[in-house]
Amino acid sequence: MLQVKQLTCVRADRPVFQGLSFDLKASRLMQVVGVNGSGKTSLLRILAGLLKPAEGSVSWRGMPIEQQTSDYSLARVYMGHANALKGDLSAMENLHWACLLAGRDPTQPVIAEALNHWGLNRRHHLPLRVLSQGQQRRAALARLSLLLDAKLWLLDEPFAALDTEAQEALEHLIARFLDEGGSVILTTHQAFGLSPRITDRVDLDRLRASC
Amino acid sequence: MSSATPNQALIGSRWFKYASPATFYPLAGTLAPWFAVLSLLLFGLGLYISFFVAPTDAQQGEAYRIIFIHVPAAWMSMVIYLAMAFWAGLGLAFHTRLSGMMASALAPSGALFTVIALWTGAFWGKPTWGAWWVWDARLTSELLLLFLYLGFMALQAAIEDPRRADRAGALLALVGVVNIPIIYFSVQWWNTLHQGASVSFTRAPSMAMTMLEGMMVMSLACWAYVFAVVLWRVRKIILIRERNSDWVRQLQQKGVL
Amino acid sequence: MLKVFKALVKRDMTLAWRRRTDLLNAVLFFVMVSSLFPLAIGADPKLLRLIGPGVVWVGALLSCQLTLPRLFASDHADQTLEAMVLAPTPLSVLVLAKVLSHWLCANMPLVFIAPVLGMQFGLGPEALGVLALSLALGTPSLSLIGAIAGALTLGLRGAGMLVALLVLPLYCPVLIMGCLAVEATVSGLSPEPYLLLLAAFSLATVAIGPWAIATAIGIAYE
């Protein structure tokens, strides 16, 4: 589904990695590893379409992503380091808006269910800034529960700063998404329970540009 | 090395051969001294005509001679902004890296000529109108043009990533160039309604032929100067941007740098 | 598409409402700046009537420009803006929604307060009306042009000052036309041509602005 050919990434005139190629099929879980500064975040941003690669191409179902109309933006979900949530809006408002933006329109009960699943019962309508950091992160991840109909999740350090309970919830969610035919590319430093399900692995340290 | 190759799609085209910094660098180095010499010769000739050949003005006496610098500088300030916007547009459309470098190399020269035009305008204004600064439509537009140049340079200076600096500057230059005629006409309108248009640069009714010649030669000298300086500046920018590339390293090994 | 547009306008206005002190501060700034001029120049009614339109317009310009850096900054900081770039809805539609809500929250109050300030400068009722109308017609272009500068300076240090440098020269035509409209009314002429020009300028920026803003945001992320 996602085809990457001879990708080279240059940041601030310094080459980061070069010659990355892979072909990701449906129901696959890919882990991207590499030391800090090896370009993990840059790679995810390139795959999402936020960043232009210096060279190489990324194609989705045979068509380069920069030529895609709305197909690819409906199919892929990108989650960066930040939560992309507003402290002045409630969890409910935040999620509804995020889903609208992503081209979905879930009803209130559906969003409420997703929030409950992430242990945010009775906090649906509080302004997000009164919740703890961990709870805010959960609210951000609850978005994924509402985007199970996507085809590709690009998750940048999704397990960072999660307690075991939330980590398990996320692992279950990813497993379910894989079972339903979705593919996941994630970066992480820590060990996580899905290790047996990892099918693909990219080691950016090996692709370090010689410079 | 990836960063030394320009946009893939353009490589085949002969026109874009010199869009590659690596090929443009030596070309600019060859051309710049010629333009410098040409500019010196023309400045010499132009200043000779302006000071010794052109007759004294009946109304303004010797003071009018400042127009031989003032008018070419004002022309240059506008032409350079247009050139900057042209390169900017090219860079935005085709992703050629040299275009952005040209735009950044042009900006300081443009700002310089704008300052010269304003400065000499003040010098001219003092004996002619008795004031250093008059809110004349052209002077005011020129001042706003200076602000546009300074904004362009401030924006580029604030952005660390050169690729983003080029493209952000390019968009700003395009917005500016769309606005310049609007600014110019609104300022002119403002001027005629507010001031009663008692003073204007267009007053001199019939200009002696030698005066026109002097201005033309001075303008050509300015053109040559801009070519020389911009080519030199673009060489510096290329070296800084491409310092990690193979061809710059080869030059270093050969001891050229 | 329209649904997302409406939702975004509503979201930004909700956010602005929950942070209403910020907006109030911008309005207060407008009032204070305009009130400083009589203190600096003196209370000669004839003089005040002469400078009134210009002072109110400059005050509105500065106040509008003060709120601009925030237009995209918070969405940029928490990466909501990335989600907008990646959304299936075209980015230019989304930024138009953002600019619209900025205009409704930050500039609309100025339109309503301007006549009160105009009274301080002894403008007649007709001139006050034209002052408000000229602001209503001119400020949309201020928001749009300002949003371009805001997008160009995303994430830069000292973005606030930079936005002012980039934007103020571009604001000049609007300032000139706005003031001329009021002055024409004061001296008994028709303000119509100036108001029409203001409207035309705003329409032109509505046509070009969203594209330029979207391009600028794209550049910031490249």
Side-chain angles (χ1 to χ4, degrees):
Chain A
M1 291 203 296
L2 189 72
Q3 218 173 17
V4 169
K5 276 193 201 134
Q6 289 299 321
L7 213 57
T8 294
C9 171
V10 177
R11 297 304 284 159
D13 272 353
R14 307 290 299 187
V16 184
F17 58 79
Q18 59 187 22
L20 172 64
S21 302
F22 63 78
D23 194 350
L24 190 73
K25 298 194 170 55
S27 289
R28 296 295 190 100
L29 172 60
M30 172 183 275
Q31 186 186 8
V32 181
V33 294
V35 295
N36 287 336
S38 59
K40 298 189 293 291
T41 297
S42 296
L43 173 60
L44 284 198
R45 291 169 71 88
I46 289 174
L47 296 181
L50 270 173
L51 207 66
K52 280 207 185 71
E55 263 174 46
S57 67
V58 182
S59 307
W60 173 253
R61 293 190 166 145
M63 201 206 278
I65 54 170
E66 61 271 16
Q67 288 169 24
Q68 296 270 350
T69 47
S70 60
D71 279 5
Y72 188 57
S73 40
L74 284 170
R76 69 101 167 73
V77 173
Y78 168 74
M79 271 195 58
H81 294 282
N83 289 336
L85 301 173
K86 293 285 171 205
D88 285 327
L89 297 179
S90 70
M92 180 68 82
E93 287 168 324
N94 264 308
L95 282 191
H96 188 230
W97 153 249
C99 290
L100 273 178
L101 190 59
R104 279 90 170 168
D105 194 1
T107 56
Q108 287 235 345
V110 174
I111 301 175
E113 197 189 331
L115 284 170
N116 291 341
H117 178 75
W118 285 88
L120 293 167
N121 323 41
R122 286 182 291 119
R123 293 188 181 81
H124 300 174
H125 297 288
L126 289 177
L128 212 64
R129 72 187 126 79
V130 305
L131 305 189
S132 74
Q133 286 295 323
Q135 286 171 325
Q136 293 190 16
R137 187 69 191 160
R138 283 163 182 239
L141 290 168
R143 185 183 324 161
L144 292 176
S145 306
L146 298 165
L147 295 170
L148 280 164
D149 62 334
K151 295 286 174 254
L152 174 67
W153 286 355
L154 304 166
L155 310 177
D156 198 357
E157 297 288 348
F159 296 109
L162 285 186
D163 56 18
T164 37
E165 193 193 337
Q167 178 163 350
E168 272 169 25
L170 181 56
E171 285 164 5
H172 280 299
L173 194 65
I174 291 177
R176 186 176 152 203
F177 183 62
L178 293 171
D179 291 338
E180 289 177 12
S183 294
V184 178
I185 301 180
L186 56 81
T187 67
T188 185
H189 283 299
Q190 54 206 102
F192 60 109
L194 289 170
S195 308
R197 296 205 58 171
I198 294 175
T199 50
D200 303 70
R201 186 188 287 268
V202 166
D203 186 353
L204 289 179
D205 290 336
R206 291 218 206 116
L207 297 163
R208 181 78 55 84
S210 51
C211 200
Chain B
M1 184 69 214
S2 61
S3 61
T5 51
N7 196 319
Q8 298 286 331
L10 301 175
I11 286 179
S13 155
R14 184 179 280 263
W15 255 108
F16 284 97
K17 188 183 158 206
Y18 290 107
S20 149
T23 31
F24 189 74
Y25 180 81
L27 179 73
T30 327
L31 288 178
W34 290 102
F35 280 115
V37 171
L38 185 66
S39 143
L40 272 180
L41 290 176
L42 285 169
F43 268 126
L45 179 66
L47 287 175
Y48 177 75
I49 297 177
S50 335
F51 278 105
F52 300 107
V53 181
T56 308
D57 187 80
Q59 296 158 3
Q60 303 185 28
E62 301 295 344
Y64 91 95
R65 287 187 198 275
I66 202 146
I67 63 163
F68 290 113
I69 296 173
H70 174 79
V71 174
W75 282 343
M76 289 315 289
S77 67
M78 285 177 262
V79 169
I80 291 177
Y81 201 93
L82 287 181
M84 219 170 81
F86 165 77
W87 285 111
L90 213 60
L92 266 188
F94 296 107
H95 287 262
T96 46
R97 286 174 309 132
L98 189 62
S99 319
M101 299 183 193
M102 285 300 282
S104 337
L106 278 163
S109 290
L112 176 72
F113 276 111
T114 320
V115 169
I116 291 176
L118 285 169
W119 197 291
T120 52
F123 274 145
W124 191 17
K126 186 63 182 165
T128 324
W129 309 321
W132 293 110
W133 182 261
V134 176
W135 287 97
D136 165 79
R138 290 185 195 200
L139 274 180
T140 312
S141 311
E142 197 75 9
L143 185 66
L144 291 176
L145 184 64
L146 178 64
F147 291 161
L148 289 181
Y149 273 120
L150 295 181
F152 178 87
M153 293 198 290
L155 179 66
Q156 291 214 318
I159 303 177
E160 267 170 46
D161 177 26
R163 194 155 75 150
R164 182 180 165 193
D166 276 353
R167 297 176 66 70
L171 187 70
L172 184 69
L174 286 183
V175 171
V177 90
V178 172
N179 260 281
I180 281 177
I182 303 173
I183 292 177
Y184 181 74
F185 284 115
S186 61
V187 166
Q188 208 162 36
W189 206 349
W190 159 82
N191 185 250
T192 46
L193 286 171
H194 272 274
Q195 303 267 329
S198 58
V199 286
S200 165
F201 277 117
T202 45
R203 195 170 50 156
S206 59
M207 203 180 272
M209 199 55 204
T210 40
M211 288 188 195
L212 203 62
E213 274 170 15
M215 273 199 301
M216 282 306 175
V217 176
M218 287 297 282
S219 303
L220 289 176
C222 289
W223 275 92
Y225 162 82
V226 169
F227 272 112
V229 171
V230 167
L231 288 175
W232 263 314
R233 204 176 284 132
V234 98
R235 267 166 70 91
K236 288 272 181 299
I237 297 175
I238 290 175
L239 277 190
I240 294 171
R241 299 269 182 93
E242 306 270 306
R243 62 188 178 279
N244 293 324
S245 67
D246 290 344
W247 68 270
V248 172
R249 222 160 271 163
Q250 279 165 12
L251 284 185
Q252 266 170 332
Q253 275 159 9
K254 277 191 226 153
V256 187
L257 290 176
Chain C
M1 196 143 79
L2 199 62
K3 195 168 192 171
V4 181
F5 184 89
K6 275 192 210 152
L8 181 50
V9 173
K10 194 176 148 221
R11 182 197 81 135
D12 271 21
M13 291 190 62
T14 314
L15 282 171
W17 178 245
R18 290 183 190 167
R19 289 264 158 188
R20 49 192 172 274
T21 44
D22 283 4
L23 291 174
L24 201 64
N25 291 348
V27 173
L28 274 178
F29 173 86
F30 177 44
V31 174
M32 284 184 190
V33 163
S34 316
S35 310
L36 285 180
F37 281 82
L39 294 179
I41 290 170
D44 176 15
K46 222 194 276 170
L47 190 63
L48 286 185
R49 204 168 304 136
L50 211 59
I51 63 162
V55 167
V56 174
W57 254 98
V58 169
L61 219 71
L62 293 178
S63 161
C64 172
Q65 174 264 311
L66 269 185
T67 54
L68 283 171
R70 276 205 308 274
L71 182 54
F72 295 114
S74 97
D75 282 343
H76 180 252
D78 63 20
Q79 300 190 346
T80 318
L81 199 55
E82 289 182 0
M84 293 190 204
V85 174
L86 297 177
T89 319
L91 186 57
S92 45
V93 174
L94 297 174
V95 296
L96 189 63
K98 279 193 77 66
V99 173
L100 176 64
S101 50
H102 172 262
W103 185 77
L104 288 173
C105 299
N107 292 349
M108 276 275 271
L110 306 186
V111 173
F112 289 111
I113 290 179
V116 182
L117 297 178
M119 270 186 239
Q120 288 188 317
F121 290 89
L123 296 178
E126 207 182 335
L128 291 178
V130 172
L131 177 64
L133 190 59
S134 68
L135 279 170
L137 289 174
T139 43
S141 63
L142 301 187
S143 285
L144 279 157
I145 294 175
I148 302 177
L152 283 175
T153 55
L154 271 179
L156 300 183
R157 268 175 285 125
M161 200 47 119
L162 199 53
V163 166
L165 281 182
L166 302 185
V167 144
L168 291 179
L170 299 175
Y171 279 179
C172 286
V174 183
L175 175 71
I176 289 172
M177 290 305 150
C179 294
L180 284 181
V182 186
E183 276 161 25
T185 324
V186 171
S187 50
L189 300 168
S190 161
E192 215 177 274
Y194 309 107
L195 294 176
L196 286 176
L197 276 170
L198 275 179
F201 191 71
S202 283
L203 278 179
T205 45
V206 168
I208 306 170
W211 169 82
I213 300 165
T215 311
I217 292 175
I219 289 169
Y221 276 117
E222 253 168 36

